[in-house]
Amino acid sequence: MTNFLHTISVLVEDRPGVLTRIAGLFAARGYNIESLAVGATDTSGVSRMTIVVDVEDKPLEQVTKQLNKLVNVIKILEHDQGSAVERELMLVKVRSEGDNRARILEIADVFRVNVVDVTQSTLTLEAAGKSEKLEALLSLLRDFGIVELSRTGRIALGRGDRGIKDRSLKVANA
């Protein structure tokens, strides 16, 4: 069995305690959630969770079966690698004194990121994209000095015409 990052989308009812119960299922098995993003959907009273976890295929199947049993869970979809559009958002405040400001602005241009705040000594950049893009950007910005950093969790939508409500739960082969 191999471990790799699994991205799971979960539609849930907006009810108190749903997030706690879902996170608890992973914690009870000793799995660390790498990323968790929760937000509203186009349906009133329904939220979408995108959970990224690093586990083996077989144990993940057991967790998804237990998630399906939770009352407030509407639908679960595990995205196969490459079958989803995945993005993350990052805000990063960087020291930008002297000539460094122009160099940081060049990097921002190459990475197609937005400058969202400017002070005498810092620039705050907004970047969206795949995790690899954000990591590459950070590796260049670290040399200037990162003052503050905030990243969202990964969000994902399956590729193609169908939405999560049209898809069935992926069941791993035994």
Side-chain angles (χ1 to χ4, degrees):
M1 288 184 215
T2 59
N3 280 25
F4 65 90
L5 293 180
H6 296 267
T7 303
I8 305 164
S9 290
V10 184
L11 290 182
V12 297
E13 296 173 359
D14 287 332
R15 300 273 187 245
V18 172
L19 176 59
T20 302
R21 286 191 296 281
I22 289 176
L25 279 178
F26 288 94
R29 294 208 161 354
Y31 300 147
N32 184 43
I33 293 175
E34 298 279 331
S35 168
L36 174 64
V38 183
T41 65
D42 60 327
T43 305
S44 179
V46 176
S47 290
R48 181 184 186 109
M49 295 182 175
T50 305
I51 305 167
V52 179
V53 63
D54 187 358
V55 297
E56 295 176 351
D57 292 333
K58 188 71 170 168
L60 180 65
E61 181 182 355
Q62 297 304 314
V63 173
T64 55
K65 285 179 180 179
Q66 288 185 332
L67 283 174
N68 260 328
K69 293 178 183 177
L70 293 178
V71 173
N72 302 116
V73 172
I74 299 167
K75 188 82 172 208
I76 302 170
L77 175 67
E78 180 187 350
H79 298 283
D80 293 322
Q81 284 192 329
S83 71
V85 176
E86 299 177 348
R87 295 293 184 267
E88 221 180 298
L89 174 67
M90 175 176 73
L91 294 173
V92 58
K93 186 182 299 182
V94 185
R95 298 205 184 286
S96 64
E97 289 122 355
D99 292 339
N100 285 346
R101 183 173 299 248
R103 293 174 52 210
I104 293 168
L105 290 172
E106 286 176 21
I107 292 169
D109 187 47
V110 168
F111 278 85
R112 296 186 186 118
V113 301
N114 299 316
V115 176
V116 294
D117 189 50
V118 178
T119 71
Q120 291 291 329
S121 60
T122 63
L123 289 172
T124 301
L125 307 176
E126 171 192 62
K130 293 183 178 183
S131 298
E132 297 84 6
K133 172 186 173 180
L134 302 185
E135 288 299 325
L137 174 61
L138 277 176
S139 71
L140 293 173
L141 295 177
R142 281 191 183 97
D143 292 340
F144 300 102
I146 294 175
V147 176
E148 197 169 11
L149 171 70
S150 181
R151 289 174 76 163
T152 65
R154 183 184 305 178
I155 57 172
L157 290 178
R159 294 188 183 276
D161 296 338
R162 298 179 353 197
I164 189 170
K165 295 176 190 171
D166 304 324
R167 298 172 187 258
S168 61
L169 171 67
K170 176 192 175 225
V171 179
N173 295 329

